[in-house]
Amino acid sequence: MKRIALFIMSLMLASLTACTQKTQAMKNTKTLIAYFSATGTTHKAAQQIALATGGRLYPIRPEAPYTDADLDWTNKSSRSSVEMQDPASRPAIVMELRDLEDYDTLFIGFPIWWNVAPHAVNTFIESYDLTGKVLIPFATSGGSGISNSVKELRKAYPDYNWQEGKLLNNASKTEIENWLK
């Protein structure tokens, strides 16, 4: 009986050590959490990722912030609706990131609009050389899953090292930490 208990304890210790090593390895790499958040929901998820990884938060901010009227997806004339109807739309963003070469891993976060990432995210991706970086998408959504968004990002930017994405609607600290393991 003691042998079984000792064996189980050894397995648990090995498992905990492996999880700790993986989390520590992520904390030892330079991690950037770049995110676009029009209403603050994605910002909350980004903060949780930053806490879990020790990474730096970087908001992807449009030059012209979105108003509530701009975000009215039921109005076909709203700014977000017009942008999302045009696949070539690239809203201008504030370009403040000067040290991207210092980062190995980039989490790229966004709310899902029309089943894809908002075009401001494309502006960010196209504004920087992300070659050699590990890109991990995450999203928030009122009803869409993340799979189509990730598929479209991979299709638009096939030369980048995209990892599995995760939908983080109201994700707890524990859920995010488990995802990162």
Side-chain angles (χ1 to χ4, degrees):
M1 191 66 164
K2 285 184 181 180
R3 283 186 179 179
I4 292 172
L6 212 58
F7 177 74
I8 291 172
M9 287 178 64
S10 297
L11 283 177
M12 289 175 57
L13 181 60
S15 176
L16 285 172
T17 301
C19 289
T20 301
Q21 287 173 343
K22 185 175 179 184
T23 301
Q24 191 59 43
M26 187 172 282
K27 286 186 178 185
N28 289 338
T29 63
K30 291 277 283 189
T31 301
L32 182 73
I33 300 93
Y35 66 94
F36 170 70
S37 185
T39 64
T41 304
T42 306
H43 170 76
K44 290 175 188 170
Q47 285 179 309
Q48 291 295 327
I49 293 170
L51 287 172
T53 63
R56 174 181 156 212
L57 285 173
Y58 177 78
I60 300 170
R61 293 184 302 124
E63 283 185 1
Y66 289 88
T67 66
D68 289 342
D70 292 335
L71 298 172
D72 182 2
W73 61 272
T74 63
N75 178 354
K76 292 181 192 255
S77 299
S78 74
R79 177 177 161 199
S80 60
S81 295
V82 170
E83 287 175 1
M84 295 309 290
Q85 289 170 15
D86 178 5
S89 172
R90 296 296 182 265
I93 61 172
V94 176
M95 302 291 291
E96 298 174 321
L97 188 57
R98 306 272 186 256
D99 58 349
L100 184 63
E101 66 278 354
D102 294 343
Y103 295 94
D104 306 311
T105 302
L106 269 74
F107 286 85
I108 300 179
F110 51 88
I112 297 174
W113 289 3
W114 288 262
N115 209 26
V116 295
H119 293 312
V121 173
N122 298 83
T123 303
F124 172 80
I125 293 169
E126 293 169 10
S127 296
Y128 297 97
D129 181 9
L130 304 179
T131 305
K133 312 281 185 204
V134 174
L135 305 178
I136 306 169
F138 68 95
T140 57
S141 174
S144 300
I146 194 173
S147 60
N148 189 67
S149 299
V150 174
K151 181 182 93 174
E152 291 299 317
L153 288 169
R154 285 181 172 152
K155 186 167 84 173
Y157 311 103
D159 295 333
Y160 289 146
N161 182 11
W162 292 100
Q163 301 299 303
E164 193 65 35
K166 180 78 172 163
L167 191 64
L168 297 176
N169 289 339
N170 300 314
S172 69
K173 178 182 176 189
T174 303
E175 288 172 294
I176 289 173
E177 287 172 348
N178 287 338
W179 170 53
L180 296 174
K181 287 182 183 176

